């Protein structure tokens, strides 16, 4: 629980994000007929079952229902649970007017060359799940998701990543309705970082880029449509995607989101003090530096050795923590001249418990003789190194509640076997840093 109460005191100033790297090429799966002409319409006209689209041609005759619209019927059941928020239909299926919306062309980039990118979050980043009200507020609503997005029936979940200073760095909102998926990524105050940049993507305006794909995205044997747009209006970077079987609905939903870009906001988000989250459903993710005192207040500190077991001339150098869906670890480093002692305690998740190495040992196997025979060697100064004991890195496994284990990895340079064994074995019990 200390992680949740104290993480704001741990974070450090953010580092620069990495430049996009790597290049790749998608397997060609040609598909034609997806393009929509870019036009400004006074309204979007809907019929039960889906939106009517303008596919590069004008209607043969005037539509008597122009200027009003009915919210599309949701063919998939509305999810009542399993999501932070399920979007209801505020119009209850009744006809209603619709504002002017620009629809965009989505060129088919299936099989075209693409530049793949990656980036790193800054030091001290952490993540929080969004509450239902926070999702609504980010989307520009007050007490409900803005109806103009036409997200009726989608179950929504969201998260926000804060930088090392507690400022919103990236906001992700994901919607699910049957086989349809929406993904909205917002980057307050900066251009969005795009994972894949397709050579054939179209610049629809000064700041809007679009493309579409048609391929088996999830490996189930059926192809899905993907419609993508990203843009930056000088205030908010945005990336919007639709994935699903409906080639008519996808372009409209993406276009509607782009049209609402100016209403999206991060002003409602502030870093948590660790108290407002329901920890049964939400987790804080992140990483950062710690003082020695903060490190030994962490939950995993129970598996760290007693720092008092080190010779007095060793000095604390640094400590770090990381916590996300894949990792939960805590590390501490001490030094004495060229000698170093580092310890990393990691909670092994269920899918990693079968990873065992030859250098893994159990706590009752740590003796001076075992360390010397299995891992240790003495180095003389005439061998081009400072004299002293060196040890191969080894990991001690602790059973936790009979299930996943905590693995504590040691890298020791400068302790003799008796000192090293005493240091490793000192993790039994509690101690004070005073």
């Amino acid at each position: 629980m200390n992680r949740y109460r104290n993480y704001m005191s741990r974070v450090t100033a953010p580092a620069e994000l990495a430049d996009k790297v790597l290049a790749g090429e998608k397997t060609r799966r040609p598909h034609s007929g997806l393009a929509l002409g870019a036009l400004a319409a006074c309204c979007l006209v809907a019929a039960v079952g889906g939106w009517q689209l303008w596919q590069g041609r004008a209607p043969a005759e005037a539509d008597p229902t122009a200027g009003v619209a009915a919210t599309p019927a949701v063919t998939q059941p509305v999810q009542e649970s399993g999501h932070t928020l399920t979007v209801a239909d505020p119009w209850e299926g009744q006809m209603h007017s619709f504002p002017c919306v620009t629809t965009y062309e989505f060129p088919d980039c299936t099989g075209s060359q693409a530049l793949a990118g990656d980036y790193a979050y800054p030091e001290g980043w952490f993540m929080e799940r969004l509450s239902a009200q926070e999702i609504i507020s980010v989307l520009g609503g007050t007490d409900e998701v803005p109806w103009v997005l036409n997200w009726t029936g989608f179950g929504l979940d969201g998260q926000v990543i804060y930088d090392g200073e507690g400022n919103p760095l990236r906001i992700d909102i994901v919607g699910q309705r049957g086989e349809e998926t929406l993904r909205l990524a917002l980057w307050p105050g900066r251009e969005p970082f795009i994972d894949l940049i397709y050579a054939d993507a179209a610049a629809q305006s000064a700041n809007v880029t679009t493309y579409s794909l048609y391929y088996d995205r999830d490996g189930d044997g059926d192809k899905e449509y993907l419609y993508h747009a990203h843009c930056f209006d000088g205030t908010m970077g945005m990336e919007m995607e639709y994935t699903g079987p409906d080639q008519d609905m996808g372009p409209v939903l993406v276009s509607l989101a782009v049209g609402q870009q100016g209403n999206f906001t991060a002003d409602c988000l502030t870093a948590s003090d660790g108290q407002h989250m329901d920890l049964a459903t939400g987790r804080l993710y992140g990483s950062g530096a710690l003082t020695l005192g903060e490190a030994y207040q962490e939950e995993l500190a129970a598996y760290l050795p007693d720092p008092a077991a080190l010779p007095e001339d060793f000095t604390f150098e640094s400590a770090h923590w990381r916590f996300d869906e894949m990792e939960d670890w805590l590390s501490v480093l001490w030094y004495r001249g060229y000698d170093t002692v580092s310890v990393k305690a990691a909670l092994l998740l269920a899918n990693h418990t079968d990873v065992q190495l030859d250098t893994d040992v159990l706590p009752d196997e740590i003796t001076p003789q075992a360390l010397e025979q299995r891992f240790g060697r003495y180095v003389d100064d005439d061998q081009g190194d400072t004299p002293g004991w060196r040890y191969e890195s080894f990991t001690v496994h602790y059973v936790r509640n009979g299930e996943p284990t905590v693995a504590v990895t040691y890298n020791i340079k400068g302790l003799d076997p008796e000192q090293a064994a005493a240091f490793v074995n000192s993790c039994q019990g509690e101690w004070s840093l005073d």
Side-chain angles (χ1 to χ4, degrees), residues 73-147:
V74 180
T75 57
Q76 299 293 338
V78 175
Q79 299 180 8
E80 298 297 339
S81 62
H83 293 287
T84 305
L85 169 67
T86 298
V87 183
D89 176 11
W91 303 100
E92 298 181 350
Q94 301 299 312
M95 303 295 288
H96 58 87
S97 62
F98 215 90
C100 295
V101 177
T102 300
T103 59
Y104 295 95
E105 178 184 357
F106 292 82
D108 184 7
C109 290
T110 307
S112 69
Q113 290 186 340
L115 177 67
D118 197 5
Y119 53 87
Y121 293 131
E123 178 72 14
W125 70 272
F126 57 94
M127 180 187 297
E128 292 185 5
R129 288 188 177 181
L130 296 178
S131 66
Q133 183 57 56
E134 287 171 332
I135 292 175
I136 292 171
S137 298
V138 165
L139 295 174
T142 302
D143 54 4
E144 60 185 18
V145 172
W147 63 267

Side-chain angles (χ1 to χ4, degrees), residues 225-393:
Y225 296 98
L226 182 147
Y227 295 92
H228 170 103
H230 63 266
C231 48
F232 178 57
D233 63 1
T235 301
M236 179 73 74
M238 170 184 155
E239 180 184 5
M240 175 66 183
E241 285 186 351
Y242 166 92
T243 304
D246 194 334
Q247 63 174 318
D248 293 337
M249 181 64 74
V252 174
L253 292 177
V254 175
S255 296
L256 288 171
V258 173
Q260 292 297 302
Q261 181 183 15
N263 295 325
F264 299 148
T265 179
D267 293 344
C268 57
L269 300 178
T270 57
S272 167
D273 60 3
Q275 302 300 317
H276 87 281
M277 291 189 60
D278 177 3
L279 299 182
T281 58
R283 299 180 70 190
L284 298 179
Y285 301 158
S287 64
L290 301 169
T291 66
L292 183 61
E294 289 171 338
Y296 275 84
Q297 293 174 7
E298 293 290 302
E299 181 181 356
L300 282 173
Y303 299 92
L304 295 180
D306 185 350
L310 281 174
E312 293 183 356
D313 48 357
F314 270 86
T315 301
F316 168 71
E317 171 68 15
S318 61
H320 291 84
W321 66 281
R322 183 178 181 89
F323 181 37
D324 57 30
E325 290 178 329
M326 300 302 297
E327 299 177 293
D328 185 359
W329 57 257
L330 172 68
S331 66
V332 185
L333 172 66
W334 294 268
Y335 76 95
R336 177 185 62 188
Y338 293 103
D339 295 333
T340 58
V341 174
S342 69
V343 185
K344 179 179 178 180
L347 175 61
L348 299 184
L349 303 183
N351 58 338
H352 293 137
T353 55
D354 58 347
V355 179
Q356 296 280 321
L357 303 175
D358 292 339
T359 54
D360 291 354
V361 296
L362 296 175
D364 58 2
E365 298 175 336
I366 300 298
T367 64
Q369 295 76 19
L371 292 179
E372 179 177 354
Q373 295 172 5
R374 293 189 59 180
F375 311 116
R377 62 187 177 90
Y378 187 84
V379 176
D380 294 319
D381 56 2
D382 59 3
Q383 294 178 308
D385 195 358
T386 55
W389 281 91
R390 308 287 183 265
Y391 300 88
E392 180 183 356
S393 175

